[in-house]
Amino acid sequence: MGAIKIAENVHWVGVRDPQLRKFDIIMNTRYGTTYNAYLVRGEKTALIDASKADFTGQFLDNVREIIPLSQIDYLVVNHTEPDHSGAITALLEENPRIDLLCSGAAIPFVKNVINLERPIRGVKDNEILDLGGKKLRFLLTPYMHWPDTMMEFLEEDGILFSCDGFAAHLSDDSLFTEAIEKDVDFEFHYYWDAIMRPFSNYIRKNLLKLDGLDIKIIAPSHGPVFRENPRQYIERYKDWTADKSAGRNLVTVFYASSYGNTKLLGESIGAGLMKEGFELSYCDAENCEPESVRAAIEASRGVLLGTPTMNGDAVKPIWDIINLFSTVSSVGKKAAVFGSFGWGGEGIKLVADRLSGLKLKVFEENFRARLVPSETELNEIAAYCSRLAAFLNS
Ligand code: FEO
């Protein structure tokens, strides 16, 4: 199937990939996906995004259904991930006169995609590209989900070209949600959860840029185009990206403990933090569901991780918890590490280093106790918690 009309002189010219069953290693795609691109024609013509390299022939043929490639004036690159930029080089071979437009942050990435010496123009937030009869307003939306991401609002038709925002991996004969019988809502949420959720703090701010726009159609980079009550999809993103830790003073203690010693330390530190005014929650790493861990990370002002050391390492249930941090918005969150150990206690430092590597702010003091915490060590916890509370409140 070729080009599809969305509005007067606006066409979808993307491609379908219905057989894809895994996207970017991290997502299952039971309905495949599409790589959406859009052609907007005024007196001049802008092509918004390209396709994955494997689909270059189909993509260029779809554009040719509407106009010869030689008549494209602008290629708007909304971000540079290869599933949308892979066909750019072939397009430029067909029409070297195309002006490349992208965000300023995307310029070095575009250079690395095309590996050609040629002008690439970075657009400004709210800048308008007047095509003659069609005006595209650029909206810079960094980290939604790449640092270079931007969107456009086509003012005459109320179409938001939203890049990966509001996307879903779903390929269907129809492009429009109202005609699709597959579970669009599930895929819409799954896409947000797998791709967008780690960037919630950025997305929350970016969504404010859409508030004043009279959006009639949302045209994302994957999956269906939304033209029935499109605002509801923006509202869902607002709900999902809301700051879950706002108005709370929650600290969650994740621990693993073979003989109860690390657990005792966690509970003692938790009790100390309660006296400092914090709300406490505990999670035995061997018995928590991944989604509850992810929700707890997002809801917490700070997280504590307690691990014993086995064979010079932290234990697997704790590493499993840590592997979930990058799947949610955790950058900059406060953390501290503790644990009981027998010989070297290396696992405690390894956990602290890994959390720092994930860009959490890690308290410089790890609380350690050899084997059974002594009364002296337990008595030190009150002072430790006082210092830790100051860190969490800073
Ligand atoms: Fe669909 Fe971020 O690429």
Side-chain angles (χ1 to χ4, degrees):
M1 191 182 298
I4 299 172
K5 182 175 176 180
I6 293 179
E8 201 56 39
N9 289 326
V10 182
H11 287 81
W12 177 87
V13 289
V15 293
R16 292 178 171 80
D17 186 0
Q19 304 308 324
L20 188 79
R21 288 295 172 267
K22 191 72 93 173
F23 179 83
D24 273 6
I25 303 170
I26 60 168
M27 281 189 76
N28 296 319
T29 48
R30 59 179 167 161
Y31 300 130
T33 194
T34 63
Y35 310 106
N36 295 343
Y38 301 95
L39 200 62
V40 180
R41 288 179 301 149
E43 290 167 24
K44 292 195 161 189
T45 296
L47 176 60
I48 298 175
D49 281 327
S51 78
K52 194 172 174 179
D54 301 351
F55 296 83
T56 299
Q58 176 74 61
F59 164 62
L60 296 180
D61 283 348
N62 287 351
V63 178
R64 285 190 192 100
E65 273 190 23
I66 309 301
I67 55 161
L69 300 178
S70 59
Q71 291 183 16
I72 299 171
D73 297 290
Y74 303 100
L75 174 64
V76 176
V77 180
N78 273 341
H79 80 319
T80 38
E81 199 164 12
D83 52 329
H84 307 285
S85 63
I88 293 177
T89 306
L91 176 65
L92 293 177
E93 284 170 5
E94 296 282 340
N95 178 355
R97 294 180 304 97
I98 290 176
D99 280 340
L100 286 179
L101 306 180
C102 59
S103 68
I107 292 174
F109 298 145
V110 175
K111 283 183 179 168
N112 291 141
V113 169
I114 62 176
N115 292 311
L116 296 170
E117 280 303 320
R118 57 164 295 146
I120 303 166
R121 187 161 78 78
V123 300
K124 295 194 167 46
D125 196 28
N126 264 315
E127 179 180 331
I128 287 178
L129 178 68
D130 191 345
L131 297 172
K134 300 272 190 197
K135 291 195 187 74
L136 282 172
R137 180 184 294 275
F138 295 108
L139 305 168
L140 301 187
T141 52
Y143 292 99
M144 196 165 171
H145 65 122
W146 270 35
D148 55 347
T149 298
M150 68 177 190
M151 303 181 181
E152 296 75 44
F153 182 60
L154 179 57
E155 306 212 324
E156 289 76 7
D157 302 283
I159 302 175
L160 179 70
F161 298 102
S162 59
C163 192
D164 283 345
F166 316 111
H169 284 312
L170 190 154
S171 175
D172 190 86
D173 287 345
S174 176
L175 183 62
F176 302 103
T177 46
E178 63 269 23
I180 295 174
E181 293 184 353
K182 297 172 177 126
D183 193 345
V184 175
D185 280 351
F186 177 89
E187 299 301 335
F188 182 77
H189 180 268
Y190 178 40
Y191 188 96
W192 171 81
D193 190 55
I195 302 285
M196 295 288 168
R197 189 168 171 178
F199 305 98
S200 290
N201 288 344
Y202 293 96
I203 293 171
R204 196 181 313 133
K205 293 174 194 151
N206 286 327
L207 292 175
L208 297 175
K209 296 187 176 183
L210 309 182
D211 278 351
L213 303 178
D214 183 14
I215 296 170
K216 297 185 174 72
I217 295 174
I218 297 177
S221 63
H222 295 286
V225 166
F226 303 96
R227 55 185 185 183
E228 284 198 342
N229 190 10
R231 269 282 157 201
Q232 67 170 298
Y233 298 97
I234 297 170
E235 293 306 315
R236 286 187 211 179
Y237 263 48
K238 284 188 175 180
D239 283 348
W240 296 337
T241 56
D243 182 357
K244 309 297 189 302
S245 67
R248 299 187 68 177
N249 218 8
L250 178 66
V251 173
T252 299
V253 182
F254 300 103
Y255 66 89
S257 190
S258 296
Y259 298 101
N261 295 323
T262 296
K263 181 181 181 189
L264 174 62
L265 287 180
E267 290 173 345
S268 302
I269 294 169
L273 288 176
M274 278 184 83
K275 287 183 185 155
E276 298 286 341
F278 290 92
E279 176 191 351
L280 264 292
S281 173
Y282 297 89
C283 176
D284 179 345
E286 289 185 273
N287 296 303
C288 16
E289 292 297 320
E291 182 48 41
S292 69
V293 172
R294 299 169 83 211
I297 294 167
E298 290 178 326
S300 300
R301 170 186 284 257
V303 291
L304 272 55
L305 282 98
T307 183
T309 295
M310 287 192 187
N311 303 328
D313 198 0
V315 295
K316 183 174 180 299
I318 287 296
W319 288 125
D320 290 344
I321 298 271
I322 292 169
N323 282 336
L324 294 170
F325 275 78
S326 65
T327 72
V328 295
S329 179
S330 63
V331 171
K333 199 161 285 279
K334 305 274 179 63
V337 186
F338 63 92
S340 161
F341 64 99
W343 307 339
E346 298 92 337
I348 300 163
K349 183 172 186 309
L350 288 171
V351 168
D353 289 347
R354 178 69 184 128
L355 293 174
S356 293
L358 289 167
K359 297 191 173 69
L360 278 81
K361 292 181 180 163
V362 182
F363 189 42
E364 59 187 4
E365 292 181 57
N366 303 325
F367 198 94
R368 297 153 43 101
R370 192 183 288 272
L371 295 171
V372 181
S374 68
E375 199 167 325
T376 305
E377 286 165 328
L378 292 173
N379 285 338
E380 289 170 0
I381 284 178
Y384 171 80
C385 284
S386 167
R387 298 190 295 276
L388 178 56
F391 167 76
L392 293 171
N393 285 324
S394 64

